[in-house]
Amino acid sequence: MPTATASHQPTVTSRPSTYPASTSVQVNANELFCALRLNIPASPELERELFTTRRVAEGETVFRAGDEFHCLYVTRSGFFKSVLFDETGTEKVLRFAIKNDLLGADGLASGRYPSEVIALEASEVIIVPFARLAALTRTCAGLENGLYSLLSRELVADQGLLYVMAALNAEGRVAAFLLNLAERYGALGYARNAFVLRMTRQEIGSYLGLKLETVSRAFSAFDSAGLIKVNLKHIDIVDAVGLRRAMHEPVLRASRQAASTERRATRSFDRLNPLGGGTQPATA
Amino acid sequence: MPTATASHQPTVTSRPSTYPASTSVQVNANELFCALRLNIPASPELERELFTTRRVAEGETVFRAGDEFHCLYVTRSGFFKSVLFDETGTEKVLRFAIKNDLLGADGLASGRYPSEVIALEASEVIIVPFARLAALTRTCAGLENGLYSLLSRELVADQGLLYVMAALNAEGRVAAFLLNLAERYGALGYARNAFVLRMTRQEIGSYLGLKLETVSRAFSAFDSAGLIKVNLKHIDIVDAVGLRRAMHEPVLRASRQAASTERRATRSFDRLNPLGGGTQPATA
DNA sequence: CGGTAAATTGATCTTATTCAAACAGCGTGG
DNA sequence: CCACGCTGTTTGAATAAGATCAATTTACCG
């Protein structure tokens, strides 16, 4: 349970005192829409439309469940989890957010955030006061539709996860999770086949509806089958095609030593994103 | 696999030839927004803004996966399932829709519907061409926000289901499912404690990530515990509080004969909606 | 250097799935 | 009208998958 206090007025940038005030960057609307993969033509007016960014320390919340909704947040760097609490206070991870993901859209419905977003490493978000965004809608052609499709995208992503949870077994879900993460990193220009998990096994389990031990076992199984290499938080995807196959059929447990000899990693990552994507660019 | 062909131009009402053309009702925007529980002040202009309805026979699709997105649909009567197909053609139920639910919002993101909606009984939908709705947004104050919050509501509903699937065991999920349905019927003014399931056990299982036998067993367990009475598709909720308890803890298997004597059904249905709701009116 | 949190692995137990059989409704056609 | 077949439901017994409990190892942080 992180103890960080998140005071976030729409217009004022609040941050841990360790960061100098000067580092709080302004982002203009052009960049923002571009980051969100919205096809809004760049314009000088949008360049003048500035949004504040906010640093979020590891363990700190971006917003809390129950807070009044005022802003959307677009992640600029770092890693986040979005969680829901039940009446007993136990949390369920709804989503992991990386760069350029949208957060807080679920607060629009009721005027309060039902979920809560917590940074899993030192991160940065763009604060997007919803009223200002809505106002921009009226001056900026195409933004309106962009905003709708942005929300719809979230919907599709959640449906993808629903599919994974209902249709796939433990190994399948973990495989889908890894491929999704790989794809999202790839879409940002980072390496698709090697990354560091920012979350614990428990958080992955919560996300996928599994226990932490089950997640760990799936990782080990994939490793000894030569599909990935696991070293705690470090993941190397060795055989993405095999991993995709593992979504639907049990993994053939290769003998452990085989890992070092079989180094002929198939690497066609195209069309390989199983979960709807944290927030993917609209591939039906 | 239903063979119905769904041709649905935005403006023209298409229907199976069995229905006389005269029965196709027009609905004005006031009614529409009211049905969607949007707080849009009624106005004479909105009264003139008419939307076409369409009858959908049992087994017929409202729209198909892959169809171009043009319209949202608001259910006016009947019962629907929204399903997603995987590459092997097996379907996963994403949602059940009853009266006044929104359908098709997931098509906004990509311009094509990723999912497909099928009527489970003779039903009726209001066809809402999205372009017209978006146009209305500019003339009708408050509609814009209403539309955003409508999409957000869907998001919250999906998150509720994600929670149920990840956090609850088989009986818990089935209990949550029943309570959700009860609550939604209640919100429409129908009986909360007695209803007819329009879908099969298999479809419920698909929705909840369970096998049909498991769903059936859960029903039987609740029945013999005196929480509900099951007769195939007919469900009576006898003890809603007990059912809610059953979400989180295993049901104490009462002896079967107890069912007839214990008729002191607790009936406080308030604050009892476990799943986010098919599309609920924004209770954080 | 010690203490804590996370991860791995094994053994056991519980739960849901699978396989199978029987049964109940329902519509169809004789 | 009844017989028939079809689909959906229920129930049981065996199996498999994942959860639970527990012990050990490893990294990380002060």
Side-chain angles (χ1 to χ4, degrees):
Chain A
M1 294 297 137
T3 50
T5 43
S7 64
H8 38 84
Q9 291 75 21
T11 44
V12 179
T13 317
S14 81
R15 75 199 71 74
S17 53
T18 36
Y19 297 109
S22 60
T23 57
S24 161
V25 188
Q26 302 271 88
V27 175
N28 74 47
N30 281 331
E31 298 173 54
L32 180 69
F33 299 153
C34 177
L36 287 168
R37 299 184 291 299
L38 294 180
N39 269 338
I40 316 286
S43 78
E45 299 93 61
L46 289 184
E47 196 140 346
R48 263 174 266 121
E49 220 22 87
L50 295 180
F51 293 96
T52 312
T53 67
R54 180 180 140 218
R55 288 168 178 281
V56 191
E58 182 177 337
E60 198 184 347
T61 59
V62 177
F63 54 81
R64 288 185 173 282
D67 283 358
E68 262 191 46
F69 171 85
H70 289 114
C71 302
L72 296 173
Y73 296 87
V74 177
T75 55
R76 215 169 126 70
S77 67
F79 204 99
F80 308 81
K81 64 173 175 181
S82 161
V83 301
L84 203 61
F85 295 101
D86 68 6
E87 54 277 5
T88 76
T90 48
E91 70 172 46
K92 145 76 178 132
V93 175
L94 292 173
R95 183 178 295 204
F96 295 109
I98 58 177
K99 188 179 168 181
N100 291 350
D101 282 336
L102 180 70
L103 294 172
D106 52 352
L108 251 157
S110 64
R112 293 189 177 275
Y113 301 104
S115 63
E116 174 156 332
V117 168
I118 301 167
L120 295 182
E121 65 177 341
S123 306
E124 219 175 347
V125 294
I126 307 172
I127 302 171
V128 185
F130 184 72
R132 269 184 68 201
L133 189 59
L136 258 186
T137 262
R138 270 158 293 240
T139 63
C140 171
L143 176 55
E144 198 177 9
N145 273 328
L147 207 39
Y148 291 128
S149 90
L150 205 55
L151 293 179
S152 175
R153 223 190 268 174
E154 304 266 297
L155 211 56
V156 174
D158 280 355
Q159 291 181 358
L161 182 55
L162 279 174
Y163 167 78
V164 163
M165 299 224 344
L168 272 41
N169 64 9
E171 283 186 358
R173 293 183 212 176
V174 174
F177 164 77
L178 289 175
L179 288 169
N180 175 255
L181 214 48
E183 180 52 37
R184 287 163 68 195
Y185 278 128
L188 290 176
Y190 303 135
R192 245 177 275 253
N193 60 336
F195 46 83
V196 175
L197 297 175
R198 250 56 232 217
M199 74 297 277
T200 66
R201 302 288 190 266
Q202 168 136 58
E203 286 162 338
I204 299 172
S206 168
Y207 177 67
L208 296 173
L210 301 170
K211 294 294 149 182
L212 68 100
E213 294 96 329
T214 308
V215 175
S216 178
R217 280 184 234 273
F219 279 164
S220 299
F222 293 156
D223 188 316
S224 63
L227 302 179
I228 66 175
K229 282 198 298 176
V230 188
N231 189 283
L232 293 184
K233 306 260 182 192
H234 295 263
I235 301 286
D236 280 77
I237 298 188
V238 177
D239 178 2
V241 171
L243 203 52
R244 173 158 248 277
R245 202 167 34 236
M247 281 176 53
H248 297 284
E249 59 191 55
V251 106
L252 38 99
R253 203 63 136 281
S255 60
R256 176 161 298 273
Q257 39 80 343
S260 50
T261 48
E262 297 205 29
R263 203 40 58 79
R264 38 124 194 84
T266 328
R267 201 161 307 170
S268 64
F269 262 99
D270 309 323
R271 231 186 71 63
L272 218 54
N273 196 7
L275 298 176
T279 298
Q280 286 306 305
T283 25
Chain B
M1 292 299 137
T3 50
T5 43
S7 65
H8 37 85
Q9 291 75 22
T11 45
V12 179
T13 317
S14 79
R15 77 197 72 72
S17 52
T18 37
Y19 296 110
S22 60
T23 57
S24 161
V25 188
Q26 302 270 89
V27 175
N28 75 46
N30 281 331
E31 299 173 54
L32 179 70
F33 298 153
C34 177
L36 288 168
R37 299 186 290 301
L38 293 181
N39 269 337
I40 315 285
S43 77
E45 300 93 61
L46 290 184
E47 195 139 348
R48 263 175 268 122
E49 207 41 74
L50 295 180
F51 292 97
T52 313
T53 67
R54 179 178 141 218
R55 288 169 178 281
V56 191
E58 183 177 336
E60 198 184 347
T61 58
V62 177
F63 54 81
R64 288 185 173 284
D67 282 358
E68 262 191 46
F69 170 86
H70 290 115
C71 302
L72 296 174
Y73 296 87
V74 176
T75 56
R76 214 170 127 69
S77 68
F79 203 100
F80 308 81
K81 66 173 175 181
S82 161
V83 302
L84 203 62
F85 295 101
D86 68 4
E87 54 276 5
T88 77
T90 50
E91 70 172 45
K92 145 74 178 132
V93 175
L94 291 174
R95 184 178 295 205
F96 294 110
I98 58 178
K99 188 180 168 181
N100 293 350
D101 281 336
L102 179 70
L103 294 173
D106 53 351
L108 252 157
S110 64
R112 294 190 175 276
Y113 301 103
S115 63
E116 175 156 331
V117 169
I118 301 168
L120 295 182
E121 65 178 341
S123 306
E124 218 174 347
V125 294
I126 307 172
I127 302 171
V128 185
F130 185 73
R132 268 184 69 201
L133 189 60
L136 258 186
T137 262
R138 267 157 295 236
T139 64
C140 171
L143 175 56
E144 197 178 9
N145 273 329
L147 206 40
Y148 290 128
S149 90
L150 206 55
L151 293 179
S152 175
R153 227 190 266 172
E154 304 267 296
L155 211 56
V156 173
D158 280 356
Q159 291 181 358
L161 181 55
L162 279 173
Y163 167 79
V164 163
M165 299 222 347
L168 271 42
N169 64 7
E171 284 187 358
R173 293 184 213 178
V174 174
F177 165 76
L178 289 175
L179 288 169
N180 174 256
L181 214 49
E183 179 53 37
R184 287 163 68 192
Y185 278 127
L188 289 177
Y190 303 134
R192 245 177 275 254
N193 59 336
F195 46 83
V196 175
L197 298 175
R198 251 57 233 217
M199 73 296 277
T200 66
R201 303 287 190 265
Q202 169 136 59
E203 286 162 339
I204 299 172
S206 168
Y207 178 65
L208 296 174
L210 301 170
K211 294 295 151 184
L212 68 99
E213 296 97 328
T214 308
V215 174
S216 178
R217 281 184 234 273
F219 279 165
S220 301
F222 293 156
D223 188 316
S224 62
L227 303 180
I228 66 176
K229 282 198 298 177
V230 188
N231 188 283
L232 294 182
K233 305 260 181 194
H234 295 263
I235 301 285
D236 281 76
I237 296 189
V238 177
D239 178 0
V241 172
L243 203 51
R244 172 158 250 276
R245 204 168 30 237
M247 281 176 52
H248 299 285
E249 58 191 55
V251 106
L252 39 100
R253 201 61 135 285
S255 61
R256 175 160 301 273
Q257 38 81 338
S260 50
T261 50
E262 298 204 30
R263 203 40 57 78
R264 36 118 196 87
T266 326
R267 201 161 305 170
S268 63
F269 263 97
D270 310 323
R271 232 186 72 63
L272 218 53
N273 196 5
L275 298 176
T279 297
Q280 287 305 306
T283 25

